[in-house]
């Protein structure tokens, strides 16, 4: 058997023996796992310029759906918003699909279809056109990720888009040292999986403080993800990581256009670099060069999440220019957000060991509390005027834009146009 076929077999058997991530279907009774990419308001904002008709059928493919996180979120979002259509869970691991199926049953979701097979065969087993494709944590495990992305992008509707997660090179420093050591200590052809997992755990514990994994300090999946987490992180037979420029080339090579990385501020030196002289020197560079700088500057991006559309799709992300625009919060209610938001001053955004101060305007708390995803800027202004009659739209807008700048940078607020009410 060729090396690549052997690795294909090993990847498949890993996800059959250790469905990942580890999930208990009973938990669906008490919580919905949310995140990026793939929640509907965010997809509407980044892929459809906030102009998607949410009463029209929406068809989404989750390629390599695993134990079902993205499928649950998409199908539940669609059900809650009354959006017709279906979510297809495509995966080559039957046991992972079985868990996702149970989760869907517990939730009572009836808008999911399951297809077992490889995403490389998508044109035969789950042909498009898809409005949206989610592919998280999958393409970096293929022998030829370029072929995988190209196969998916060919199944997109002309105005459709894709949300992807792949590993980040710098943030995973230490992981590949572990994988290399374990190829010596716990080879895939000489040991039972359970012994290999045990060896990986022992090695992680035995490492001195000088080892890259410990010096990194941000790698924790092996501590919280059970045996599937240990296997996925340290014993994977095939995984690779990407830098920003590699992603840019990869996406362009598949005939696609990168819309944004999530969260945007992590890829923007303006939020990260405080030295004005350094910032000035970065100013002339294009967005990808600046994003590439940002990822090396912080060094903490273990993964890259991004949205892309077809190259010939010139959709632009909606701005706050029109008073008809409706702002909404991502994965948070207006009341929850208002609770956390100060009335002016700074908020501190913490992510993977990095802390960034961001200024918010005096009306921040009130404004965030009014962003319920149904109320337009004009209506929010009218509500503000009930308390501040002297505040005209232009003055309100300056404060709203200052808030939006922060909330959009941290991917907590998205926009849509009206008449999209599902
Ligand atoms: C790391 S898990 C990620 C699961 C899910 N996307 C998530 O984010 O939770 C990778 C999944 O991709 C699936 N997979 C890997 N290669 C695949 C392929 N060529 N076709 C379909 N599924 C694949 C595996 O079976 C596994 O369930």
């Amino acid at each position: 058997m060729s090396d690549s076929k052997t690795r294909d077999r090993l990847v498949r058997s890993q996800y059959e023996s250790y469905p990942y991530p580890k999930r208990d279907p009973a938990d669906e009774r008490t919580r919905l796992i949310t995140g990026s990419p793939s929640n509907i308001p965010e997809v509407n904002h980044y892929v459809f310029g906030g102009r998607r008709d949410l009463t029209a059928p929406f068809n989404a493919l989750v390629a390599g759906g695993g134990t079902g996180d993205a499928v649950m979120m998409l199908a539940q979002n669609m059900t809650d918003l009354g959006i017709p259509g279906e979510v297809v869970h495509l995966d080559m691991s039957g046991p992972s699909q079985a868990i996702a199926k149970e989760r869907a049953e517990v939730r009572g979701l009836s808008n999911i279809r399951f297809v077992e097979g490889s995403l490389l065969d998508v044109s035969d087993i789950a042909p498009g056109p898809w409005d949206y494709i989610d592919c998280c944590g999958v393409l970096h495990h293929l022998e030829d990720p370029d072929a995988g992305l190209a196969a998916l992008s060919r199944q997109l509707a002309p105005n459709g888009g894709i949300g992807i997660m792949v590993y980040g090179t710098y943030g995973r420093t230490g992981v590949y040292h572990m994988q290399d050591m374990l190829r010596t200590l716990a080879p895939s052809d000489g040991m039972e999986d359970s012994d290999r997992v045990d060896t990986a755990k022992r090695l992680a514990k035995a490492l001195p403080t000088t080892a890259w994994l410990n010096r990194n300090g941000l790698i924790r999946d092996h501590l919280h993800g059970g045996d599937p987490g240990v296997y996925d992180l340290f014993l994977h037979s095939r995984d690779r990581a990407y830098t920003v420029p590699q992603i840019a080339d990869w996406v362009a090579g598949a005939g696609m256009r990168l819309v944004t990385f999530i969260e945007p501020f992590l890829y923007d030196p303006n939020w990260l670099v405080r030295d004005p002289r350094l910032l000035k020197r970065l100013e002339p560079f294009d967005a990808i060069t600046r994003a590439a700088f940002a990822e090396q500057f912080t060094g903490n991006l273990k993964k890259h999440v991004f949205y892309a559309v077809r190259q010939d799709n010139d959709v632009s992300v909606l701005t706050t220019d029109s008073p008809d625009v409706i702002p909404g919060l991502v994965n948070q209610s207006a009341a929850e957000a208002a609770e956390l938001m100060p009335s002016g001053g700074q908020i501190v955004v913490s992510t993977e060991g990095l802390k960034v101060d961001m200024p918010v305007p005096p009306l921040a708390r009130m404004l965030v509390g009014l962003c319920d995803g149904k109320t337009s800027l004009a209506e929010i202004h009218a509500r503000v005027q009930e308390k501040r009659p002297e505040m005209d739209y232009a003055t309100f807008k300056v404060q709203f834009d200052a808030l939006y700048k922060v909330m959009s940078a941290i991917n907590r607020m998205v926009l849509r146009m009206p008449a999209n009410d599902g």
Side-chain angles (χ1 to χ4, degrees):
M1 203 185 274
S2 72
D3 285 355
S4 81
K5 288 264 177 289
T6 304
R7 285 190 291 269
D8 282 349
R9 185 181 53 75
L10 288 170
V11 172
R12 177 190 288 260
S13 86
Q14 170 188 336
Y15 288 115
E16 284 171 356
S17 308
Y18 295 98
Y20 182 87
K22 197 173 176 204
R23 295 288 180 243
D24 178 355
D27 291 340
E28 298 311 309
R29 294 198 177 88
T30 52
R31 59 96 184 92
L32 173 69
I33 293 179
T34 56
S36 294
S38 300
N39 70 77
I40 295 274
E42 192 180 291
V43 170
N44 185 16
H45 177 87
Y46 285 116
V47 170
F48 297 101
R51 291 183 166 82
R52 173 87 200 174
D53 175 2
L54 297 180
T55 60
F58 184 79
N59 292 310
L61 172 70
V62 181
T67 47
D69 286 0
V71 170
M72 295 310 122
M73 180 172 66
L74 272 166
Q76 189 69 59
N77 278 186
M78 286 168 61
T79 304
D80 294 346
L81 294 165
I83 303 171
E86 69 170 358
V87 182
V88 166
H89 180 293
L90 168 67
D91 204 290
M92 63 181 189
S93 158
S96 296
Q97 279 199 328
I99 293 169
K101 268 182 203 162
E102 261 192 77
R103 292 175 74 181
E105 272 161 32
V106 173
R107 291 198 156 272
L109 292 168
S110 55
N111 53 353
I112 304 175
R113 182 158 59 88
F114 291 87
V115 176
E116 193 176 326
S118 170
L119 66 83
L120 294 169
D121 301 324
V122 63
S123 60
D124 295 325
I125 59 177
W130 296 103
D131 298 307
Y132 179 67
I133 298 177
D134 167 293
C135 191
C136 287
V138 184
L139 293 170
H140 50 217
H141 294 312
L142 301 189
E143 193 71 21
D144 184 354
D146 299 11
L149 183 60
L152 293 178
S153 69
R154 279 194 292 270
Q155 299 307 314
L156 275 181
N159 68 342
I162 188 158
I164 293 188
M165 185 279 274
V166 286
Y167 294 141
T169 301
Y170 305 115
R172 274 170 76 84
T173 300
V175 170
Y176 297 103
H177 300 83
M178 282 291 286
Q179 290 188 5
D180 272 351
M181 287 188 279
L182 285 163
R183 272 188 273 277
T184 306
L185 283 181
S188 58
D189 57 358
M191 263 168 115
E192 292 293 320
D193 274 346
S194 54
D195 286 346
R196 297 182 72 212
V197 169
D198 183 58
T199 307
K201 288 181 186 165
R202 282 169 181 278
L203 178 60
K205 270 202 196 123
L207 290 176
T209 51
T210 51
W212 281 110
L213 188 75
N214 288 334
R215 289 168 78 175
N216 181 333
L218 296 173
I219 307 288
R220 291 179 295 264
D221 287 15
H222 59 301
L223 305 175
H224 307 300
D227 288 357
V230 172
Y231 207 111
D232 209 62
L233 191 64
F234 295 144
L235 294 166
H236 213 291
S237 48
R238 190 168 59 201
D239 91 43
R240 62 153 297 179
Y242 287 79
T243 62
V244 164
Q246 286 169 341
I247 288 177
D249 288 347
W250 184 43
V251 168
M256 305 200 66
R257 176 167 70 80
L258 195 65
V259 178
T260 190
F261 284 106
I262 299 288
E263 288 88 19
F265 83 98
L266 293 168
Y267 297 83
D268 181 354
N270 283 346
W271 288 112
L272 306 169
V273 180
R274 291 295 177 217
D275 184 322
R277 281 208 203 175
L278 299 181
L279 269 182
K280 188 92 195 133
R281 290 193 66 81
L282 284 166
E283 223 170 63
F285 293 101
D286 61 59
I288 290 299
T289 307
R290 288 163 57 82
F293 178 92
E295 75 165 337
Q296 289 185 305
F297 184 74
T298 56
N300 71 342
L301 295 175
K302 293 186 290 188
K303 57 188 183 181
H304 296 293
V305 173
F306 59 92
Y307 287 104
V309 295
R310 286 166 47 149
Q311 231 147 35
D312 54 9
N313 177 353
D314 60 3
V315 66
S316 54
V317 173
L318 201 55
T319 68
T320 59
D321 287 353
S322 162
D324 296 334
V325 158
I326 298 173
L329 297 165
V330 177
N331 292 327
Q332 203 177 22
S333 73
E336 281 164 358
E339 186 113 323
L340 298 169
M341 181 62 72
S343 299
Q346 305 270 338
I347 60 168
V348 183
V349 178
S350 304
T351 174
E352 299 291 357
L354 177 75
K355 282 190 178 15
V356 180
D357 292 338
M358 297 189 176
V360 293
L363 278 183
R365 171 175 277 210
M366 190 199 292
L367 294 179
V368 141
L370 294 169
C371 290
D372 59 3
K374 297 178 192 140
T375 311
S376 69
L377 286 182
E379 290 160 342
I380 292 175
H381 173 235
R383 297 280 300 278
V384 170
Q385 272 193 324
E386 289 168 12
K387 295 206 168 104
R388 308 276 181 95
E390 77 291 353
M391 186 165 286
D392 62 17
Y393 189 79
T395 318
F396 153 82
K397 183 67 173 10
V398 169
Q399 293 217 32
F400 188 87
D401 280 347
L403 173 70
Y404 181 67
K405 185 176 171 189
V406 168
M407 295 296 277
S408 153
I410 61 177
N411 191 41
R412 285 302 170 95
M413 194 180 279
V414 291
L415 307 173
R416 71 180 176 93
M417 287 304 281
N420 291 338
D421 297 277

